Amino acid sequence: MNRDEFANRLHASVVPEGTSEEEMKKILFPVSEAIFQMMPNALFRYRPLNNDLKNNNQQIDAFKNDALFAVTADRFNDPYDTLVRYDQEEIIRSVNAIVSYETVEGMKAWLAQGKDLPEEVKQIFPVDIIAFLKNALMSIDDISVLKDKIEESRCNMVNLIETYFPILTETAKKYSTMACFSESVKSVLMWSHYANSHQGFALEYNFRPTLEKPIRNVGLYPVIYDDERMDVSHYMAWSFLKMLGIEANNPDITSFIKLALHKSSIWAYEKEWRMIDCTLRDITDTKPSKILYKPVAIYYGRHISKEHKELLHEIAQSKSIKEYEMYIDYTAPEYEMKVRGYRSIGHIVING
C-alpha cells in the first residue's frame, strides 16, 4: 500500500452528514485498512532549539511532559497548507440557476402537481428546511410578484460569495489542529528546516498501538503529495450556507481531513504523517491543543549545544528511553545523516 493507493481510498470514501456510526465505519474501513498497512513502527518529530536556554522552555518542557502540541494550519510554513481551492465561477453559475425566477416557478408548478422537490435539493437541506420551502411556495398564489425579489436575492448572494469566500478559505485553516511527523530521521533538509539547522533534536514515536486504542478525537494519516490542489467547492458551498444561518447538510464530513492531507509534491521529501485533532474548538482560540503520548527515543542534532544535550539527556534517562546522536560519515557517498548510540561523558548509552 502506497500513498497514491491511500489517496484513492480516501477520495472514494464520502460520508454525508447524518450518516450512522455503523455505516460510517463501513464507508471508512478501506481507509482504516490502508493506514493499518502503511503506518511504520517509527515516526519522527523534529524540534528546534537555539543557543538561548531561556527561550527553549516550551520544547524541553513538552519533551519532559510527553506533550505533543498541535497547531492550526495558518501557522505552518507553506501558505498553501490546508488552503481551500474552489471553483467560484461554477458556484456562481449554480446560484444563478437555482436562485432564479424560472427555477422557483418550476418548483411551484412541480409541487402543484403533487410531486416532491428534486433529490438534489433534498440532499442539501434538512427536513425542516424542505418543509419550509414547500409551505412558502405553496402559500403564494401569484409567483410573478416575487420576480424582482428573487433577482435581488440572486445578486446579493453572488456579492456575498465574492466577498466572503476568500475569508472562509482562511477560516478553514483554524478548525482543527495538527502535529507533523516524518518517516525519516536521516533527512538533511528536515534537520535544517525543522531543527534549527541541526541545533535541535528529534523524538521517535511508535503510534501503532493507537490503531487498536485510538486517541479521542485524534487521527493519524499519511500526507498525500500531488501537483494539483484538491477542489472542495462542495465544502465551501456548505460553509457559506452555514455562515448565512442555513442549516444545510455537509455533503462530506471528511472534507476537512482530506483537505489537510494534500500538499504539493515539492514537499514529498518530508515523508510526512499528520496527527489531526478534530476536537471542536473556537476558531478565535490561537492556543495549540495538547496531546499526551510518550516518545520511545530521542535523537540529538549534529550541532546541538553541550548544555542542551546534557539537559535532554537527563530527561531521557528519567524516562528510560533510547538515545541517539546524528553525525556525518565522511567516507559515505550519500547525502544523508547517520545515526549512532549517544555516548555521554563518563557514561555510555548502549542502544540495541
Side-chain angles (χ1 to χ4, degrees), residues 98 102-112 117-118 121 133 137:
I98 295 171
E102 291 75 16
T103 299
V104 174
E105 184 181 42
M107 289 174 66
K108 179 173 172 60
W110 188 274
L111 292 171
L117 290 175
V121 177
L133 286 172
L137 286 172

Side-chain angles (χ1 to χ4, degrees), residues 271-314:
K271 300 178 182 179
E272 184 181 349
W273 283 67
R274 285 199 164 167
M275 179 175 280
I276 302 178
D277 184 353
C278 294
T279 304
L280 291 177
R281 60 186 280 117
D282 184 343
I283 61 171
T284 62
D285 184 3
T286 59
K287 294 180 181 178
S289 62
K290 182 168 70 173
I291 303 162
L292 297 178
Y293 203 86
K294 182 181 177 181
V296 298
I298 185 169
Y299 296 74
Y300 303 117
R302 183 171 184 259
H303 297 309
I304 192 171
S305 70
K306 177 182 176 182
E307 292 79 12
H308 281 136
K309 186 180 287 188
E310 289 178 352
L311 180 57
L312 293 170
H313 167 63
E314 290 180 7

Side-chain angles (χ1 to χ4, degrees), residues 257-270:
I257 291 176
K258 292 171 180 173
L259 177 65
L261 295 180
H262 279 76
K263 293 186 70 172
S264 167
S265 58
I266 64 173
W267 299 98
Y269 71 90
E270 295 186 341

Side-chain angles (χ1 to χ4, degrees), residues 6-260:
F6 168 76
N8 291 335
R9 291 191 178 197
L10 184 66
H11 293 152
S13 302
V14 176
V15 184
E17 185 175 3
T19 302
S20 68
E21 186 173 346
E22 182 179 352
E23 183 61 24
M24 188 185 306
K25 288 180 179 178
K26 291 180 181 178
I27 295 172
L28 295 177
F29 176 77
V31 176
S32 301
E33 183 183 45
I35 293 172
F36 184 87
Q37 293 181 28
M38 294 176 64
M39 186 184 292
N41 291 326
L43 286 172
F44 305 92
R45 183 160 166 82
Y46 292 84
R47 300 287 80 198
L49 293 173
N50 57 46
N51 292 328
D52 188 351
L53 283 171
K54 294 181 180 179
N55 291 333
N56 292 290
N57 290 339
Q58 183 177 2
Q59 301 296 348
I60 294 172
D61 287 347
F63 172 45
K64 183 186 299 183
N65 298 314
D66 296 332
L68 290 165
F69 286 100
V71 300
T72 49
D74 60 310
R75 296 177 62 178
F76 290 166
N77 59 357
D78 178 5
Y80 279 104
D81 208 314
T82 319
L83 183 67
V84 170
R85 173 196 169 199
Y86 56 92
D87 188 338
Q88 181 168 298
E89 292 185 2
E90 179 59 32
I91 292 172
I92 290 177
R93 278 196 294 269
S94 297
V95 169
N96 289 337
I98 295 171
V99 188
S100 69
Y101 173 73
E102 291 75 16
T103 299
V104 174
E105 184 181 42
M107 289 174 66
K108 179 173 172 60
W110 188 274
L111 292 171
Q113 298 174 29
K115 298 179 181 179
D116 204 350
L117 290 175
E119 283 299 319
E120 293 82 357
V121 177
K122 292 168 67 177
Q123 287 176 3
I124 297 174
F125 299 103
V127 176
D128 55 341
I129 296 293
I130 294 295
F132 172 79
L133 286 172
K134 289 181 178 178
N135 292 333
L137 286 172
M138 295 309 296
S139 65
I140 301 172
D141 294 328
D142 184 6
I143 199 76
S144 64
V145 300
L146 295 179
K147 193 167 187 176
D148 291 341
K149 193 69 175 177
I150 293 170
E151 176 59 19
E152 181 184 351
S153 297
R154 185 197 66 77
C155 290
N156 288 339
M157 187 76 77
V158 170
N159 289 334
L160 285 171
I161 288 172
E162 293 174 341
T163 301
Y164 285 103
F165 266 42
I167 297 173
L168 288 173
T169 61
E170 294 298 329
T171 302
K173 287 174 171 265
K174 303 177 182 179
Y175 284 133
S176 297
T177 56
M178 293 175 276
C180 305
F181 305 85
S182 173
E183 292 181 9
S184 173
V185 76
K186 297 181 178 181
S187 169
V188 175
L189 282 175
M190 295 293 283
W191 279 103
S192 299
H193 293 166
Y194 300 108
N196 194 22
S197 299
H198 302 251
Q199 296 179 71
F201 62 101
L203 295 174
E204 177 185 339
Y205 294 87
N206 178 9
F207 289 112
R208 289 201 64 85
T210 64
L211 297 173
E212 299 295 334
K213 190 178 180 180
I215 303 171
R216 182 177 175 82
N217 295 327
V218 173
L220 187 64
Y221 312 89
V223 165
I224 299 165
Y225 299 105
D226 201 348
D227 292 323
E228 183 174 329
R229 296 168 61 204
M230 181 181 176
D231 188 331
V232 287
S233 296
H234 62 281
Y235 173 82
M236 285 296 289
W238 169 75
S239 297
F240 180 65
L241 292 174
K242 291 280 285 186
M243 186 194 74
L244 296 178
I246 300 173
E247 291 300 320
N249 291 326
N250 187 342
D252 183 10
I253 63 175
T254 67
S255 291
F256 177 81
I257 291 176
K258 292 171 180 173
L259 177 65

